[in-house]
Amino acid sequence: AAWWLGMATMAVMIMDTEGREMGNGVRKGAGHQEVPLLGAYYYNWYNLDDQWSHHPRTHEPELGAYDLSDRSTMQKHHEWARQSNIDFFIMPWSGVGEGEQAPERDVEIDRRVEEHLTMKQGVKVALMYTAFDILGDASENDLDLSVRKNCDRLKDHWEYAAKHYFSKDNYLRIHGSPVLYVYGFRWYRNFQACMQEAQSRILSATSHKLYLVVDTIWWYPAPEQADWKGMQAINVSGIAGYNLYDAAQPSKMGLSFAWEAAQLLHDFVSLAWDHGMMVVPTVMPGYDDRRRGGSGRPTVPRARGAELAHQWKQLLWFSVCQPKIL
């Protein structure tokens, strides 16, 4: 079984890579030792809608306000990824379907994903389905697949992704199954029948069985209240917490964040394992959005890399325990 380790800017998965095909959950390192594969969330929408001007930053990127539509920039990011032993990118994708006229912004994101998948000597790519603003009401944290045409649109999106991406050589697969990460899954409602049908259509059209990872780990409600039976019904392989920063809980941010986040993940572990799912532990280098959200918001200081190292240290037990149990 495969398992992931993730962070707000990074994600890690253990898997087998015979010829770069992801297999039984491990990669062979020096002396045939099993080592994790490392991935990064890759924000391919930057510079769309003048993002660099709208979102002030605490730290400036090495390339400045780069253009993510430029192939040379993409190539540089893939090169840096390989140099850093990063094996795959997880890219936001908000859905382009066969039966709908997609907004220009989504068409451009679609083009960028295609471009990344053609990179020679590039790292693997997986989609993070981020259609929340299209299907749901972001202000209410609600995404009901039983209303409007939400289910039809989701099925159209997933089938399009299967036909256009999942068979690409550079697409991330485990046991031959393409990885699809569903962002904001904890806000989905009435999803079971819809996602079962979406996966059946994908299987019929392309012979692909999805390796589904859902973003459901959060501080509340309690892990016991998660819809474990519903997730089992749609064959979820792993659960994740995309970004565990929560401004509403300042006591759990700051210097205690690494321990608090590791404890939260630990609280989900036994239930996930009982239902045959892996846990995707989440780490991040730090978090500071005060220039966007206001000076009173709590931060997770980077501390010159010490925060990231501390978070990794808190989660090392996953590399020992999870592969043996799954």
Side-chain angles (χ1 to χ4, degrees), residues 18-282:
E18 185 63 32
R20 302 296 298 162
E21 174 67 18
M22 312 316 174
N24 66 358
V26 294
R27 174 161 66 96
K28 302 299 182 182
H32 302 290
Q33 185 179 9
E34 296 178 0
V35 295
L37 279 180
L38 177 66
Y41 291 121
Y42 188 94
Y43 302 102
N44 52 15
W45 44 263
Y46 246 89
N47 88 302
L48 283 172
D49 307 323
D50 200 20
Q51 297 280 357
W52 291 111
S53 298
H54 294 325
H55 299 304
R57 300 163 300 286
T58 305
H59 303 277
E60 290 298 321
E62 181 74 18
L63 298 178
Y66 50 77
D67 181 1
L68 277 178
S69 67
D70 180 66
R71 187 172 178 87
S72 64
T73 300
M74 298 180 190
Q75 288 174 328
K76 175 58 70 175
H77 288 158
H78 280 265
E79 177 187 338
W80 282 345
R82 292 195 309 273
Q83 291 172 357
S84 304
N85 292 322
I86 290 173
D87 297 285
F88 64 93
F89 288 143
I90 302 177
M91 296 189 177
W93 184 75
S94 48
V96 174
E98 302 285 6
E100 66 177 37
Q101 184 66 40
E104 183 177 343
R105 183 181 191 275
D106 295 334
V107 172
E108 172 59 19
I109 289 176
D110 191 63
R111 186 197 69 79
R112 295 181 183 188
V113 170
E114 291 269 12
E115 191 90 357
H116 281 281
L117 284 167
T118 65
M119 288 285 169
K120 293 183 178 180
Q121 297 182 330
V123 301
K124 297 286 187 181
V125 172
L127 294 182
M128 177 167 64
Y129 186 57
T130 57
F132 195 83
D133 291 337
I134 296 173
L135 302 180
D137 185 343
S139 64
E140 298 296 331
N141 287 344
D142 178 67
L143 203 165
D144 189 343
L145 292 184
S146 69
V147 301
R148 300 188 293 275
K149 294 184 178 181
N150 285 348
C151 182
D152 289 339
R153 298 185 76 180
L154 180 141
K155 289 185 291 188
D156 194 29
H157 290 165
W158 287 22
E159 190 169 4
Y160 177 95
K163 292 178 179 178
H164 288 80
Y165 299 135
F166 293 168
S167 295
K168 301 286 187 181
D169 289 342
N170 263 6
Y171 198 89
L172 179 65
R173 289 184 288 275
I174 299 174
H175 298 297
S177 296
V179 174
L180 180 65
Y181 184 114
V182 181
Y183 169 76
F185 183 80
R186 66 182 182 274
W187 296 315
Y188 277 69
R189 292 193 296 115
N190 298 313
F191 59 81
Q192 186 171 318
C194 182
M195 289 189 176
Q196 284 176 329
E197 186 177 345
Q199 293 181 71
S200 294
R201 285 170 57 171
I202 291 172
L203 189 62
S204 298
T206 66
S207 300
H208 291 309
K209 182 180 179 181
L210 281 182
Y211 193 95
L212 196 61
V213 178
V214 300
D215 168 28
T216 196
I217 297 176
W218 190 241
W219 305 97
Y220 44 85
E224 295 78 10
Q225 295 178 266
D227 187 358
W228 296 103
K229 295 300 183 183
M231 289 189 285
Q232 270 190 321
I234 61 170
N235 298 312
V236 167
S237 297
I239 61 170
Y242 169 71
N243 179 359
L244 298 180
Y245 173 84
D246 185 7
Q249 299 191 83
S251 64
K252 294 182 179 179
M253 303 299 108
L255 297 178
S256 65
F257 179 81
W259 186 90
E260 295 282 2
Q263 184 61 47
L264 175 65
L265 293 165
H266 182 274
D267 292 343
F268 274 86
V269 161
S270 60
L271 282 165
W273 291 347
D274 286 346
H275 291 86
M277 303 171 199
M278 66 173 182
V279 171
V280 181
T282 302

Side-chain angles (χ1 to χ4, degrees), residues 298-311:
T299 67
V300 180
R302 292 191 177 196
R304 298 184 179 181
E307 174 62 30
L308 181 59
H310 187 33
Q311 290 185 36

